[in-house]
Amino acid sequence: MNRHAHRTAHSAVRFRKILVVSASLSALALSACSSVHRDDKALEHPLAPASSSKVATASIDPDASEKAAVLKTYSSFWAEQVKAYARADIRGTDLKKYATEKALGQAMGDVLVMKNGGTVTIGAPEHRARVTQLTLAGNTPEAVVQDCLDISAWKTFNRRSGKVQPFPSDQPLRYLTTAKTEKWGSRWMVTEVTPDGDHTC
C-alpha cells in the first residue's frame, strides 16, 4: 500500500474530594468535665458542620453529569470506529448509534479506502479527552471535546503482504483532535471529528 493510501487510512485519527474532619476540642473538653461544672453557655452554641457543607457543595460541577454523558458517547463512538477499522466494514458495529451524518460519513469514507487497499487496523488508540465547551441552552445542546489522541499502538495491517505498515516519517503519533457533539433528545451524538496534526500533545 503506498504512502498516500496509508495516510488516508488513518485520516479519521491522523490530522484525527474533600474530606472534612471536624474534631471538636470544645466538645472533648466538655465531656471530660463533671456534670456539676459544665458551662451551659458552651452547650448553647455547639459547633455546626455548616462550613464543611458549603465547601463540599462549591466543589461540585453542576454540569458534571452532562459532561460525563458527552464523554461516554465520545468514547463509545471511538470504540465502534476501532471495530469498523479492524474489519474494514461498519457492518456489525453501532457507529450509527453514536455518530450523525458527517461524522459517520468520515468513518465510512476511511473504511472504503481501507477495503479497497486491503488494509485493516490492529490495536487501538489511546485518549485523554475532556469537555472544553458545553452549551445546554437552546433547542439543541452542544458540547466540544478536545482529545489528546495517541495512535502509536494503532497500526495499519496490510492483508496482502501480511505485514504491519510503518507510519509515514512525518506522521505525528500523538496530536490534538476536536469533536463536536449535539444532544438529540436524551442522547449525545458525535457530529464532527477534526484531527489537528499540527498540534502535538
Side-chain angles (χ1 to χ4, degrees):
M1 188 177 181
N2 62 39
R3 176 174 170 174
H4 175 72
H6 179 105
R7 186 189 303 278
T8 308
H10 282 86
S11 61
V13 295
R14 175 179 54 130
F15 290 113
R16 292 274 206 273
K17 258 109 296 96
I18 281 174
L19 291 177
V20 177
V21 180
S22 284
S24 175
L25 297 178
S26 297
L28 289 175
L30 287 172
S31 64
C33 295
S34 65
S35 58
V36 178
H37 299 290
R38 285 182 180 173
D39 186 345
D40 292 337
K41 290 185 179 180
L43 293 176
E44 290 173 3
H45 303 285
L47 293 176
S51 59
S52 62
S53 297
K54 290 179 181 178
V55 173
T57 301
S59 67
I60 297 174
D61 183 348
D63 298 323
S65 61
E66 287 293 352
K67 289 180 179 179
V70 170
L71 292 176
K72 183 177 180 180
T73 289
Y74 179 73
S75 177
S76 298
F77 164 79
W78 268 103
E80 296 307 309
Q81 188 168 233
V82 167
K83 288 180 186 177
Y85 289 10
R87 62 184 73 171
D89 198 334
I90 71 165
R91 289 177 298 181
T93 72
D94 286 329
L95 263 175
K96 294 180 179 180
K97 182 178 177 180
Y98 303 107
T100 63
E101 184 177 357
K102 188 170 185 177
L104 182 61
Q106 290 172 327
M108 291 177 69
D110 292 330
V111 165
L112 180 59
V113 170
M114 295 173 72
K115 182 176 291 185
N116 292 338
T119 63
V120 294
T121 58
I122 56 177
E126 294 184 0
H127 305 270
R128 206 161 68 234
R130 62 193 180 94
V131 176
T132 56
Q133 294 180 40
L134 179 66
T135 304
L136 299 177
N139 295 328
T140 305
E142 300 176 340
V144 174
V145 176
Q146 189 173 80
D147 185 12
C148 178
L149 186 68
D150 185 342
I151 64 169
S152 59
W154 198 20
K155 311 289 187 178
T156 296
F157 178 79
N158 192 309
R159 285 172 163 171
R160 296 168 183 170
S161 67
K163 296 179 180 181
V164 172
Q165 295 184 178
F167 289 105
S169 59
D170 60 346
Q171 168 70 60
L173 301 183
R174 192 169 62 187
Y175 51 88
L176 293 181
T177 295
T178 302
K180 294 181 179 180
T181 66
E182 293 181 356
K183 192 173 186 180
W184 292 18
S186 61
R187 233 172 30 181
W188 286 94
M189 302 284 287
V190 176
T191 60
E192 184 178 356
V193 178
T194 305
D196 184 357
D198 292 330
H199 290 83
T200 58
C201 51

